[in-house]
Amino acid sequence: MRDVAIVGVSQTKFGELWDKSFRDLVVDAGMEAIHDANMQGEDIEAMYIGNMTGGLFIGQEHIGSLIAEHSGLTPIPATRVEAACASGGLALRQAVMAVASGYYDKVMAAGVEKMTDVEDATPAIAAAADQEWEAQQGVTFPSLYAMMANRHMYEYGTTREQIAAFAVQGHENGSLNPKAQFQNKISVDKVLNATKVASPLTILDCSPVSDGAAAIIVVPADEATKYTDNPIYIRASTQASDTLNLSSRKSLTSIESTKIASRKAYDMAGITPSDVDVAEVHDCFSINGLIAIEDLGFFEKGKGGQAIEDGLIARDSDIAVNPSGGLKARGHPLGATGIAQVVELTWQLRGEAGKRQVDNPNYGLSLNIGGTGGTAAVHILSRDRS
Ligand code: COA
């Protein structure tokens, strides 16, 4: 297998983007990534596009062909990849495997979602849950994660304030990110007293409904400096599955697919969790951010809440978590999120993250989760090649 490097990245602003269509968003992101890689559109040999549910949000399927046409890149192979909120992470993984195997040399991985065109996004999002055993019984994603939060508080004595603090830090970082949907700071008090969505979670524990797209160009590592002076190396790309249905799991306080995908990723990269300098983790709800930092091995199980409270995941700590603002503040256009996480890590490792820049990071890790963990995708990046 060949080593793979990132030579171009981009992200549109995330938010309620009334003036941009689905196709505008992904073409804007793709063109900017191609420009960032000092390439021309014709250089791209294949595209993998993460999109969860264009059919339910905008009535559009057959996304690969649509995007190839509107980016002017027909007839290159363009493949849509779907794994709920992990669609972007898996699209990147397909692109990495395509280059690593020697099948292609210049591949785009993109992600896109246009969620704000429907009046109520909840039924479309709920399509990522088990229809018979969860969604049709009235269970929504906020309520599934609320059950996980209640159980975490019960098993480990995690406090409501500690869970809220993850969202507070997300907004703090998002306030420094011009591409974030929310750039306002919030407090623990504000989170606790906001509109209740599913007890104990309030609206300020939830990622929002968002429009947006992001794109990445990958090439063989040996050729990366032909395109850029600062390639970022993909040291691991892994994926694992778990039951779709939350009630079939052994534990509600841990996500097995995260643990398995991340252990494989650490092995592949030859590092341990303590080597990671900056991470972008999947905080679709604040409790999921807390569970992620435990399952990734950054902190012991049950100690995540205390770590957040003690400032151990802040931008100036040993492991900066979600400097972009995370899903909570940057926004969560489902299919775009896994790509946007790696775009942020690339900016951080290149030293191009502006006011939210973490001090001199070498290793970055992304965790992108589908549903309540039915799918997990992990990528480890580094600034140095070895
Ligand atoms: N965080 C902060 N503010 C939010 C917000 C969020 N998650 N969601 C909405 N708001 C703000 C809006 O900007 C709006 O502010 P304004 O009045 O100043 O313009 C206000 O709250 C009301 O917005 P509205 O769109 O009416 O909220 P809503 O009640 O329809 O939606 C949620 C709120 C929490 C239900 C929705 O954001 C949601 O479903 N989030 C979860 C998404 C999800 O499940 N993703 C997949 C995860 S697996």
Side-chain angles (χ1 to χ4, degrees):
M1 283 207 306
R2 303 190 291 183
D3 290 346
V4 178
I6 295 174
V7 294
V9 292
S10 82
Q11 185 212 303
T12 67
K13 185 168 182 333
F14 284 0
E16 277 189 45
L17 307 175
W18 297 113
D19 58 333
K20 293 279 179 188
S21 69
F22 180 94
R23 60 189 76 183
D24 292 339
L25 287 169
V26 68
V27 170
D28 284 359
M31 293 304 291
E32 209 178 307
I34 289 169
H35 181 71
D36 190 46
N38 297 303
M39 289 183 185
Q40 304 293 319
E42 310 80 78
D43 294 328
I44 302 297
E45 296 168 320
M47 284 196 286
Y48 295 91
I49 303 128
N51 172 250
M52 175 183 149
T53 188
L56 292 176
F57 283 128
I58 57 162
Q60 179 70 61
E61 305 287 9
H62 208 170
I63 305 293
S65 167
L66 176 88
I67 293 171
E69 178 194 348
H70 285 278
S71 51
L73 296 183
T74 43
I76 68 164
T79 308
R80 179 221 189 137
V81 180
E82 190 278 313
C85 309
S87 301
L90 295 205
L92 177 59
R93 188 154 185 271
Q94 295 304 312
V96 170
M97 292 192 293
V99 171
S101 68
Y103 218 102
Y104 299 114
D105 287 332
K106 285 158 268 177
V107 177
M108 179 186 294
V112 58
E113 208 78 54
K114 177 86 181 147
M115 300 172 73
T116 66
D117 284 359
V118 290
E119 204 162 297
D120 182 8
T122 302
I125 299 171
D130 185 312
Q131 288 304 299
E132 286 185 29
W133 293 358
E134 294 176 326
Q136 286 170 14
Q137 314 306 323
V139 183
T140 60
F141 274 101
S143 58
L144 287 165
Y145 276 103
M147 284 191 256
M148 295 163 88
N150 281 319
R151 189 71 200 178
H152 206 286
M153 292 196 283
Y154 173 78
E155 280 184 28
Y156 299 108
T158 300
T159 65
R160 181 65 190 89
E161 287 77 8
Q162 290 170 342
I163 297 173
F166 198 96
V168 173
Q169 181 183 294
H171 274 247
E172 163 78 35
N173 290 341
S175 74
L176 303 174
N177 182 354
K179 301 214 169 190
Q181 180 159 352
F182 295 123
Q183 296 174 31
N184 62 313
K185 295 187 191 178
I186 57 175
S187 63
V188 167
D189 227 33
K190 236 181 152 178
V191 179
L192 266 43
N193 292 307
T195 306
K196 193 82 84 185
V197 176
S199 184
L201 305 179
T202 70
I203 192 168
L204 291 177
D205 289 287
C206 303
S207 59
V209 169
S210 318
D211 304 328
I216 294 172
I217 313 286
V218 288
V219 302
D222 286 343
E223 293 173 24
T225 49
K226 282 204 311 211
Y227 305 103
T228 178
D229 292 337
N230 50 8
I232 298 302
Y233 299 96
I234 300 189
R235 304 293 292 276
S237 176
T238 61
Q239 173 188 345
S241 315
D242 198 352
T243 63
L244 185 58
N245 172 30
L246 188 63
S247 71
S248 303
R249 308 253 178 95
K250 283 196 205 106
S251 167
L252 293 186
T253 54
S254 179
I255 293 182
E256 204 55 29
S257 54
T258 299
K259 290 207 238 168
I260 294 167
S262 61
R263 297 312 174 265
K264 281 190 184 156
Y266 294 132
D267 280 354
M268 201 183 256
I271 65 167
T272 65
S274 62
D275 292 316
V276 176
D277 302 305
V278 55
E280 284 283 316
V281 308
H282 199 97
D283 60 323
C284 48
F285 299 93
S286 47
I287 182 61
N288 201 20
L290 190 158
I291 289 174
I293 59 174
E294 297 175 344
D295 287 344
L296 289 167
F298 298 160
F299 303 100
E300 235 177 88
K301 189 47 70 194
K303 300 279 169 56
Q306 193 60 52
I308 300 165
E309 192 178 320
D310 292 347
L312 301 184
I313 60 165
R315 277 197 321 283
D316 59 356
S317 65
D318 284 349
I319 170 135
V321 175
N322 290 4
S324 67
L327 282 57
K328 173 70 206 77
R330 180 187 52 214
H332 183 25
L334 314 172
T337 284
I339 300 288
Q341 291 177 318
V342 174
V343 170
E344 173 70 12
L345 292 178
T346 302
W347 283 329
Q348 289 287 348
L349 298 184
R350 286 175 175 176
E352 293 176 355
K355 289 185 182 156
R356 61 187 191 285
Q357 179 65 50
V358 170
D359 186 28
N360 198 27
N362 183 33
Y363 285 108
L365 177 147
S366 69
L367 167 66
N368 186 203
I369 285 180
T372 51
T375 303
V378 171
H379 286 90
I380 295 178
L381 315 184
S382 71
R383 189 188 53 210
D384 300 337
R385 185 160 176 188
S386 57

